[in-house]
Amino acid sequence: MTQCGEVPDFLHGCGLPAAWAGLPQWRILETGFGFGLNFLATWAAWRADPHRPVLLHFVATEAQPVSAADLLRAGSARPGLAPLAQELSRQWWGLLPGLHRLRFDDGHVLLTLCLGDWQAQLRQQRQQLTVDSVYLHDVLQDWRPQRHPAPPGLPGLKAVAACCRRGTRLASRCSTVRDALVQCGFTLPPAPVGDAQRDMLHAVYHPHWQPRTMRPVAAPATPGECMVIGGGIAGAATAASLARRGWQLRVLDQAAAPAAGASGLPAGIFAPHVSADDSLLSRLSRSGVRSTLEQTRWRLREGLDWSHCGVLEHRADARPGLPARWSDGPGADGRQSAVPAALGALAQSGLPANASVCWHPQAGWIRPARLVAALLAQPGIRWQGACRVARLRRVQAPDAGHTAWQALDAQGRVLAQAPTVVIAAGAGSLELLEHRWPLQPVRGQVSWGLHGDPAAPLLPFPVNGHGHLVPRFPLGDDAQGPCAWVMGATFERGVEQMPPAPADVQAAHASHWARLQTLLPRMAHQLESAFAAARADAGLAAPARAAQSWAAVRCTAPDRLPIVGPVDAAALPGLWVCSAMGARGLTLALLCGELLAARLQGEPLPVEHRLAKALDSGRM
């Protein structure tokens, strides 16, 4: 965990901040994050620069991350960096080996931490990672002259060079890697005049050969006009991610208002998936929870629109949930996003001490429509409701060689036009994609209702597992006003009928009531009268405290993972998709919006390459 002595040296050694002036993005790689001082100094310089790029990407490798307390202590000791160090330490959790994306300044400063063997991490990311500056440390940690006759640091520098473009500038204090830098394609100009840079090594990547590359052939898109079809959580997340990057968005939806479909759920849970083998979905959902948590903090009101209250997971089938290496619980520097549940949480839930449960401290509930509205309120986004897109047509734009996409209604009238379009219409995506992929509509129903006594003692956190329950959330804008509960959800594959038939509604209520008795028996007792009233008044006007029904149609892929990427980059340029969130939209949609924007603009990815590949539309 090396770190430079004079923090600004690496910044100035790469010609910053002058080199990034007026650009849409700037990407920096640091080999060895240490206490984060170089990141904090670069972030501070970005904040102070009126000509700063729209996005600052800082990708850092680290074998053993320090604790949040040490991070805060080191940053606070530097003039002007203490407030930034506090923001960094607040997000310093869940840092298991792998890749983690931390977001600051409303998502304009993006820190990507690659934890573990840094050379292996760079090799995994090189397919999408291109950087403009390099802060070089730690290239000699595994070098032994008797075992490595090649110039010191050569293997590590090859991994660094694979992430560079022609003109990438590098700064380092490792003077012994001069020969290795030259072999990897760097030139070493004279150091800038001045004592501050006298001990720094400077290099520019400019090989005399044509480097081999595994990066996509298509050139990254620059911010422009884009249509997003779908006004739910997937469409809103995509639009917000692109708007932050300077795009002009038009969001089209057949409903008059946003979140009229599956994103209109009264309240829902965001929480990581856990599995004994730490599966792909488990790793992906951890990244999704971090993205959701950060953006809700920026945009929503705690306690009214959402709550970071934690979620208890009750595995009624008693299957092991946490990987064995996580059994140490919350003592492992807070790096885990799921831990064995504390006795206090068990006591509050009324579950027995031997119940198979775990606790998700970085989870909670959200009112999805509030999140969608907040995302669509970002500058650069225009809402166009009450227009149903029946099909898309590719046309030649007035300027030669340029094509655009038109959204047409059922009568063939043009609703909107843009060079880039993103299909994020949930179950409606099937028709727009002309059924080219085997997507499946899935109807989901929940039961919800008002609490009879607002002062009644209720569980202060949701419970997930055999179904899910949000025991209490406000219905309006007053935390002391009427509150409700929601229990769900059914998963009816291939069913699209809306609204559900009365018999289907009753079947859903019965299913939720049965699940609740297993999931949380104490809460089942409190809600028994609500479910009983709903059953007694089937199809009639139910009493005010009876369980009510809410339903919508979702969309899933065969592997139950979202689809993010170009539909067919060669045959249909400019046509992208961000859909098939299934029942995990609140956990994954915001991450998927960031992934689509990163792929579209050629940025460092917010997840490991293999996770991005698992979501890629090419798998379809």
Side-chain angles (χ1 to χ4, degrees):
M1 287 175 280
T2 59
Q3 192 76 43
C4 65
E6 295 296 328
V7 174
D9 286 3
F10 283 79
L11 182 76
H12 299 156
C14 289
L16 300 174
W20 67 31
L23 295 176
Q25 64 171 299
W26 194 261
R27 303 156 297 189
I28 298 172
L29 169 64
E30 180 174 34
T31 60
F33 188 75
F35 293 97
L37 298 180
N38 282 317
F39 166 68
L40 295 175
T42 304
W43 181 10
W46 177 88
R47 273 189 165 185
D49 184 6
H51 305 293
R52 59 181 176 262
V54 176
L55 284 186
L56 174 63
H57 274 283
F58 198 102
V59 181
T61 64
E62 182 55 65
Q64 295 291 336
V66 301
S67 69
D70 288 340
L71 197 79
L72 180 59
R73 190 178 304 111
S76 299
R78 300 278 176 167
L81 298 186
L84 305 185
Q86 289 177 352
E87 291 191 45
L88 176 59
S89 65
R90 182 179 59 80
Q91 295 193 34
W92 203 255
W93 56 266
L95 300 181
L96 294 165
L99 188 146
H100 304 269
R101 169 65 58 81
L102 281 61
R103 300 163 183 84
F104 306 93
D105 277 348
D106 202 19
H108 292 279
V109 176
L110 303 171
L111 171 61
T112 306
L113 292 171
C114 304
L115 304 183
D117 183 317
W118 70 273
Q119 294 184 42
Q121 289 282 349
L122 291 185
R123 285 193 293 269
Q124 292 172 13
Q125 297 300 113
R126 70 183 185 274
Q127 296 191 37
Q128 182 78 19
L129 180 59
T130 302
V131 298
D132 307 297
S133 305
V134 178
Y135 300 170
L136 186 69
H137 315 282
D138 288 346
V139 294
L140 299 180
Q141 58 184 1
D142 298 321
W143 182 69
R144 299 291 184 273
Q146 63 274 23
R147 290 189 296 171
H148 299 280
L154 184 60
L157 284 175
K158 286 183 176 179
V160 171
C163 301
C164 295
R165 59 167 177 81
R166 288 189 182 274
T168 294
R169 294 177 64 171
L170 177 149
S172 179
R173 291 190 177 278
C174 304
S175 59
T176 55
V177 299
R178 289 177 176 272
D179 292 342
L181 283 170
V182 172
Q183 287 199 24
C184 291
F186 289 88
T187 60
L188 279 69
V193 177
D195 292 341
Q197 294 294 310
R198 183 173 54 191
D199 298 329
M200 294 293 293
L201 179 66
H202 303 81
V204 179
Y205 186 63
H206 192 70
H208 57 79
W209 62 86
Q210 182 61 36
R212 290 183 298 175
T213 179
M214 299 177 65
R215 299 184 183 98
V217 177
T222 55
E225 295 182 349
C226 177
M227 286 188 296
V228 175
I229 302 176
I233 184 67
T238 300
S241 289
L242 291 174
R244 280 196 296 275
R245 290 157 170 82
W247 289 72
Q248 295 299 308
L249 283 303
R250 184 178 295 195
V251 179
L252 287 72
D253 196 277
Q254 62 184 351
S263 297
L265 183 72
I269 291 174
F270 67 98
H273 175 272
V274 293
S275 55
D277 61 351
D278 201 23
S279 66
L280 182 147
L281 178 58
S282 296
R283 299 194 302 274
L284 184 68
S285 66
R286 286 200 298 271
S287 294
V289 164
R290 182 184 289 277
S291 182
T292 299
L293 187 59
E294 290 164 6
Q295 295 210 42
T296 48
R297 278 198 179 111
W298 298 336
R299 318 221 178 273
L300 300 183
R301 299 166 297 176
E302 173 89 28
L304 289 174
D305 304 325
W306 78 295
S307 178
H308 181 201
C309 53
V311 170
L312 186 74
E313 181 169 348
H314 178 199
R315 292 180 171 260
D317 55 10
R319 290 182 302 169
L322 301 179
R325 66 181 185 277
W326 290 12
S327 60
D328 294 336
D333 282 346
R335 292 177 184 169
Q336 291 144 11
S337 55
V339 297
L343 292 178
L346 276 174
Q348 285 180 297
S349 67
L351 294 172
N354 62 350
S356 180
V357 296
C358 64
W359 175 250
H360 301 293
Q362 307 294 348
W365 60 260
I366 297 177
R367 297 167 71 181
R370 298 290 180 96
L371 177 57
V372 170
L375 291 169
L376 293 178
Q378 302 310 299
I381 300 176
R382 176 183 171 187
W383 168 257
Q384 187 171 332
C387 59
R388 183 181 182 276
V389 180
R391 64 186 181 93
L392 295 167
R393 179 175 65 190
R394 189 173 167 219
V395 298
Q396 191 74 22
D399 49 324
H402 176 64
T403 60
W405 288 94
Q406 291 181 337
L408 308 177
D409 65 11
Q411 288 72 44
R413 292 173 297 201
V414 178
L415 300 172
Q417 176 175 311
T420 304
V421 59
V422 180
I423 298 173
S429 301
L430 283 77
E431 182 179 353
L432 295 174
L433 290 167
E434 298 179 344
H435 298 272
R436 67 173 59 229
W437 297 331
L439 304 182
Q440 186 174 39
V442 179
R443 190 174 69 184
Q445 299 186 64
V446 303
S447 301
W448 74 281
L450 296 173
H451 282 293
D453 181 5
L458 296 169
L459 198 63
F461 49 78
V463 179
N464 201 8
H466 189 56
H468 68 267
L469 172 75
V470 180
R472 184 178 189 136
F473 64 94
L475 280 179
D477 291 322
D478 182 2
Q480 305 303 317
C483 61
W485 56 270
V486 60
M487 172 72 195
T490 62
F491 210 75
E492 303 165 69
R493 289 188 174 275
V495 179
E496 299 183 73
Q497 179 186 346
M498 287 294 293
D504 292 339
V505 171
Q506 291 306 304
H509 282 318
S511 173
H512 297 148
W513 169 239
R515 289 185 179 190
L516 183 58
Q517 292 177 78
T518 302
L519 179 71
L520 207 60
R522 178 183 293 178
M523 196 69 187
H525 176 71
Q526 290 180 280
L527 298 179
E528 183 174 7
S529 61
F531 279 99
R535 293 195 299 271
D537 291 83
L540 303 176
R545 302 303 175 188
Q548 302 176 52
S549 176
W550 178 93
V553 179
R554 300 165 294 194
C555 172
T556 66
D559 57 8
R560 297 197 183 188
L561 292 176
I563 305 172
V564 183
V567 174
D568 187 330
L572 303 170
L575 182 61
W576 289 67
V577 64
C578 183
S579 191
M581 302 294 150
R584 299 185 183 275
L586 290 177
T587 299
L588 298 179
L590 290 159
L591 175 65
C592 289
E594 282 291 286
L595 176 59
L596 185 142
R599 293 193 59 189
L600 188 59
Q601 293 202 166
E603 301 173 15
L605 298 180
V607 294
E608 299 168 24
H609 177 74
R610 58 182 174 176
L611 297 185
K613 187 176 181 180
L615 302 187
D616 185 23
S617 49
R619 79 186 195 272
M620 303 302 296

